[in-house]
Amino acid sequence: EKGGYEHFMLKEIYEQPKAVADTLTGRLSDDNRAVLPELDWALGMARGIDRIHVVACGTAYHAGMVGRQILERLTRIPVEVEVASEYRYRDPIYTDHTLVLVISQSGETADTLAALQEAKARGARVVAVTNVVGSSVAREADDVIITWAGPEIAVASTKAYTTQLVALYLFACYLAQLRGAADPATIEEVLAGLRDLPDAVSKVLDTAPAMKAFAQQFARKESAFFIGRGLDYVAALEGALKLKEISYIHAEAYAAGELKHGTLALIAEGVPVIALATQDHLYEKTVSNIKEVKARDAHVLALTWTGDEEMASVADEVLYLPRVSPWLAPAVVAVPLQLLAYFAAVERGNDVDKPRNLAKSVTVE
Ligand code: F6R
């Protein structure tokens, strides 16, 4: 049932080009619109939304952080993102037209479900992004966007995450097009990028041998840092979570510009730093931050686009990624970071599919 792969996690990493394509099926029209027939929203309702709360846990929360940036850019609606275990006890403020977006692969996460119920009790409309048709979250939400990733068996989330990103890009474009676009050029860029995404995800799987070689040294370390700015910061958070979860190497993700406010004290000779540099408008800033950690003798692996001519002289090692729109970069960057976590965990002899202390579906709070 592992289809020739050593672990479910590796199989699911390799299923991503197909999973992403399945999430997109029927949802991109020929005239470049995001089509979500399951929503079928009235114009007045869509135009009335004045606030969005995104609520989720773990990896799904990171998807929500990406979702916030694209939703704000395309709709100009203020978006808050919060982990469900905090949100549900915080007495959040709802306007009469607040939309609550919950994201849950399993659709059974206790805190996310409780947040959904609280939001409904307070009169908010709830949209769920989930992978499981008929799950509790799917049944209780007002609207449901299914990710169609197929069953995810490994505890560490991989294809569920990349397909959540796709669902959120589609939803942001759908809502923006319905309301009258604030930024048609970016919508076009995102929709065109989505069409090419299965191909880009397939190409980035070719980084597996390089990530395996890197992981063999890396697996002996006890601590690592992931840095980036903007969407790269979100990708860093997800990369660090995946690494901790299955390799048990301590990892911290930092907004690259925040390093000098404390964390730089922990950067010493040989400390591995994974630096993400896919956001063109922030590239030079990130390069400066890489130089800061290099000055303290960190060992830097940088991830940047193919064609980059500067990074090789700045970082110790560079991994080149097939170029996509920077808006879609989190979906591409996720893959080598999943592979890094996977190969480090294998190298350390860990139970990759069932990491210690963790369950696939967290139905207790
Ligand atoms: C990490 C991971 C978890 C889940 C989290 C939410 O790899 O799998 O962080 O993302 O427990 O689960 P769902 O999405 O089922 O609500």
Side-chain angles (χ1 to χ4, degrees):
E1 54 189 0
K2 289 181 198 152
Y5 291 95
E6 203 181 327
H7 298 98
F8 281 110
M9 183 179 176
L10 192 62
K11 172 172 178 268
E12 290 160 8
I13 289 172
Y14 275 85
E15 281 171 349
Q16 287 176 111
K18 180 177 184 301
V20 164
D22 289 347
T23 308
L24 289 168
T25 298
R27 288 170 166 170
L28 292 173
S29 76
D30 293 338
D31 61 344
N32 238 9
R33 296 186 71 83
V35 189
L36 291 171
E38 55 272 65
L39 298 191
D40 194 22
W41 281 358
L43 204 64
M45 197 281 283
R47 292 211 171 132
I49 298 167
D50 58 4
R51 201 154 284 272
I52 300 177
H53 296 172
V54 183
V55 188
C57 302
T59 287
Y61 166 68
H62 296 150
M65 289 180 76
V66 174
R68 162 171 55 191
Q69 299 209 25
I70 191 69
L71 277 163
E72 286 195 338
R73 173 64 180 256
L74 295 185
T75 68
R76 305 311 293 160
I77 301 169
V79 181
E80 288 173 40
V81 195
E82 195 163 26
V83 291
S85 56
E86 290 295 316
Y87 180 87
R88 62 180 290 199
Y89 296 115
R90 189 172 57 85
D91 190 16
I93 296 166
Y94 298 89
T95 62
D96 288 344
H97 302 285
T98 297
L99 181 75
V100 175
L101 179 59
V102 299
I103 310 167
S104 174
Q105 185 282 131
S106 63
E108 302 298 345
T109 299
D111 283 319
T112 308
L113 185 60
L116 178 162
Q117 288 163 345
E118 166 74 9
K120 281 195 73 175
R122 300 280 300 269
R125 187 178 186 108
V126 178
V127 182
V129 171
T130 181
N131 193 35
V132 180
V133 179
S135 59
S136 303
V137 161
R139 279 186 277 112
E140 296 195 29
D142 297 293
D143 302 283
V144 183
I145 303 172
I146 300 288
T147 46
W148 304 118
E152 192 180 66
I153 310 290
V155 165
S157 188
T158 54
K159 62 179 180 168
Y161 173 66
T162 40
T163 57
Q164 281 162 358
L165 295 179
V166 170
L168 291 166
Y169 292 124
L170 285 166
F171 176 64
C173 290
Y174 170 81
L175 187 56
Q177 289 182 319
L178 199 58
R179 286 165 62 96
D183 182 359
T186 305
I187 297 181
E188 263 189 40
E189 181 182 326
V190 170
L191 291 174
L194 285 174
R195 276 183 211 283
D196 296 338
L197 194 60
D199 194 40
V201 171
S202 162
K203 283 201 189 99
V204 81
L205 285 167
D206 295 342
T207 59
M211 293 320 282
K212 185 173 184 180
F214 182 78
Q216 273 156 3
Q217 301 299 316
F218 184 75
R220 288 185 217 125
K221 305 284 184 178
E222 281 311 319
S223 184
F225 289 86
F226 289 72
I227 62 170
R229 289 169 177 260
L231 288 173
D232 283 332
Y233 170 49
V234 184
L237 286 167
E238 173 56 12
L241 174 62
K242 213 99 301 177
L243 186 73
K244 284 182 272 201
E245 190 178 10
I246 59 168
S247 78
Y248 316 145
I249 297 171
H250 168 255
E252 238 181 280
Y254 246 78
E258 188 66 10
L259 277 177
K260 58 172 87 57
H261 299 286
T263 312
L264 213 43
L266 293 171
I267 305 289
E269 189 181 345
V271 170
V273 176
I274 318 296
L276 310 177
T278 69
Q279 299 299 299
D280 296 328
H281 67 298
L282 300 166
Y283 181 86
E284 289 305 331
K285 299 282 175 198
T286 302
V287 165
S288 303
N289 298 129
I290 296 173
K291 288 177 180 164
E292 280 168 7
V293 298
K294 276 306 300 169
R296 277 120 191 128
D297 296 317
H299 185 83
V300 178
L301 169 68
L303 275 62
T304 185
W305 302 122
T306 301
D308 181 314
E309 289 178 355
E310 186 177 346
M311 197 59 90
S313 62
V314 182
D316 298 283
E317 297 176 59
V318 184
L319 190 80
Y320 294 97
L321 309 167
R323 192 177 252 288
V324 296
S325 156
W327 286 107
L328 302 184
V332 171
V333 172
V335 176
L337 298 186
Q338 294 162 355
L339 289 164
L340 174 62
Y342 172 78
F343 288 121
V346 170
E347 187 70 20
R348 287 166 75 108
N350 297 350
D351 187 348
V352 175
D353 286 335
K354 288 198 172 58
R356 66 189 183 205
N357 308 340
L358 297 174
K360 182 66 184 160
S361 185
V362 185
T363 51
V364 293
E365 58 164 297

